[in-house]
């Protein structure tokens, strides 16, 4: 039987089929983070300096987002976190404004900090259920900072994957994001749960344990809970306040 393929389509279709498979684009799940420690008597001057710096970035047309959060509950009071998310590794070679931005920061906010640290963080998108909207004024971030036993990293990651499967199977309306530090600091695993206010942090009847029970059964939930507990060396719980006045959104 003769082919009914239109001759005009045959050549482009054949060419398309013969194209080599292309590598998928790299994930844009990397963040450039700055950790700024400020003493209480310098806080007002630091915040005014950071406002000036973010206004300068806006004036210069910086295309990167810079979100600033302030620690308001925890053992590290005086800490401000400013991060630019949504990047690839290649982006770090072409940071907008470059050294000019660093010089301006030190002339405004930087001169009021006690210490400054820089890290690269990575959002673990495969295990996260992120918010659909960006943070707004008043948004709080409940952060569980977890130090994992080095020899049990795979065990911990398997537990996180198992929980994410349970969320998808059983349903859980709470939004959450898993991140980890990849350069510049300890490889902590951090679970961040954004909430609109303090009232939203009240204990819920639908706990993570209940979600796993609903998805896989009570016995599986007990195994899952013990699996994570054995892998975690230490846990710190902090609350962060989003500071839109100290941020830059292009």
């Amino acid at each position: 039987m003769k082919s009914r393929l239109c001759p005009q389509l045959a050549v482009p279709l054949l060419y398309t089929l013969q194209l080599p498979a292309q590598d998928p684009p790299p994930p844009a799940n990397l963040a450039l983070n700055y950790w700024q420690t400020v003493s209480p008597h310098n806080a007002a001057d630091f915040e005014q300096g950071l406002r000036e710096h973010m206004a300068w970035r806006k004036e210069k047309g910086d295309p990167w987002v810079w979100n600033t959060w302030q620690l308001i509950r925890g053992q590290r009071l005086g800490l401000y976190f400013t991060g630019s998310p949504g990047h690839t590794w290649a982006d770090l070679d072409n940071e907008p404004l470059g050294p000019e931005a660093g010089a301006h920061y030190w002339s405004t906010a930087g001169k009021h900090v006690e210490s400054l640290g820089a890290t690269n963080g990575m959002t673990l998108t495969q295990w996260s259920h992120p918010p659909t909207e960006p943070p707004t004024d008043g948004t709080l971030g409940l952060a569980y900072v977890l130090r994992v036993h080095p020899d049990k990293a795979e065990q911990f990651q398997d537990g996180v994957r198992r929980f994410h499967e349970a969320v998808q199977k059983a349903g859980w309306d709470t939004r959450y994001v898993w991140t980890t530090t990849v350069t510049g600091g300890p490889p902590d695993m951090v679970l961040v749960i954004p909430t609109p206010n303090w009232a939203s942090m009240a204990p819920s009847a639908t706990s993570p344990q209940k979600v796993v029970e609903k998805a896989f059964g009570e016995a599986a939930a007990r195994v899952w809970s013990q699996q994570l507990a054995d892998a975690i060396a230490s846990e710190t719980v902090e609350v962060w306040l989003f500071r839109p006045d100290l941020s830059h959104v292009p």
Side-chain angles (χ1 to χ4, degrees):
M1 178 182 295
K2 293 184 178 180
S3 171
R4 295 184 180 180
L5 182 65
C6 176
Q8 289 83 358
L9 296 179
V11 172
L13 177 59
L14 180 61
Y15 175 74
T16 301
L17 294 175
Q18 291 177 341
L19 283 176
Q22 297 189 9
D23 293 333
N29 61 349
L30 194 70
L32 176 57
N33 303 323
Y34 291 101
W35 305 84
Q36 303 144 111
T37 302
V38 182
S39 64
H41 66 273
N42 284 336
D45 290 335
F46 165 77
E47 290 187 4
Q48 181 56 35
L50 193 54
R51 288 189 193 94
E52 294 176 10
H53 179 64
M54 294 302 177
W56 177 84
R57 285 186 176 275
K58 181 177 182 179
E59 180 183 343
K60 290 289 186 176
D62 186 355
W64 283 19
V65 172
W66 293 93
N67 290 326
T68 296
W69 298 74
Q70 179 186 2
L71 183 67
I72 59 174
R73 294 291 188 277
Q75 300 299 312
R76 302 184 291 172
L77 292 180
L79 188 62
Y80 293 78
F81 165 86
T82 300
S84 183
H87 299 296
T88 66
W89 285 103
D91 290 342
L92 304 185
D93 292 318
N94 300 284
E95 183 180 345
L97 307 180
E100 185 183 5
H104 190 272
Y105 171 84
W106 285 110
S107 69
T108 52
K111 61 185 179 182
H112 302 295
V113 303
E114 287 188 337
S115 64
L116 176 69
T119 63
N120 290 124
M122 183 174 291
T123 300
L124 304 176
T125 55
Q126 70 273 31
W127 299 326
S128 298
H129 185 49
T132 57
E133 300 292 336
T136 58
D137 192 10
T139 296
L140 300 173
L142 180 61
Y144 296 85
V145 183
L146 307 174
R147 187 68 52 83
V148 179
H149 291 293
D151 60 336
K152 295 186 177 180
E154 290 187 8
Q155 175 179 324
F156 178 82
Q157 292 173 9
D158 183 67
V160 173
R161 176 191 58 78
R162 187 70 167 162
F163 174 71
H164 190 60
E165 289 178 358
V167 169
Q168 295 174 312
K169 183 176 181 179
W172 197 41
D173 57 359
T174 298
R175 299 285 172 164
Y176 57 91
V177 176
W178 280 102
T179 69
T180 187
T181 302
V182 290
T183 64
D188 295 330
M189 293 284 292
V190 183
L191 173 62
V192 181
I193 302 176
T195 64
N197 47 46
W198 285 102
S200 301
M201 292 190 191
S204 170
T206 310
S207 65
Q209 181 87 8
K210 293 296 184 182
V211 172
V212 178
E213 284 184 13
K214 182 179 179 181
F216 303 120
E218 187 175 343
R222 286 198 300 269
V223 172
W224 168 81
S225 180
Q226 190 62 50
Q227 176 184 3
L228 287 182
D230 291 344
I232 296 173
S234 65
E235 175 182 342
T236 303
V237 184
E238 300 174 337
V239 179
W240 294 77
L241 172 66
F242 179 60
R243 296 293 303 269
D245 59 319
L246 307 179
S247 303
H248 165 65
V249 179

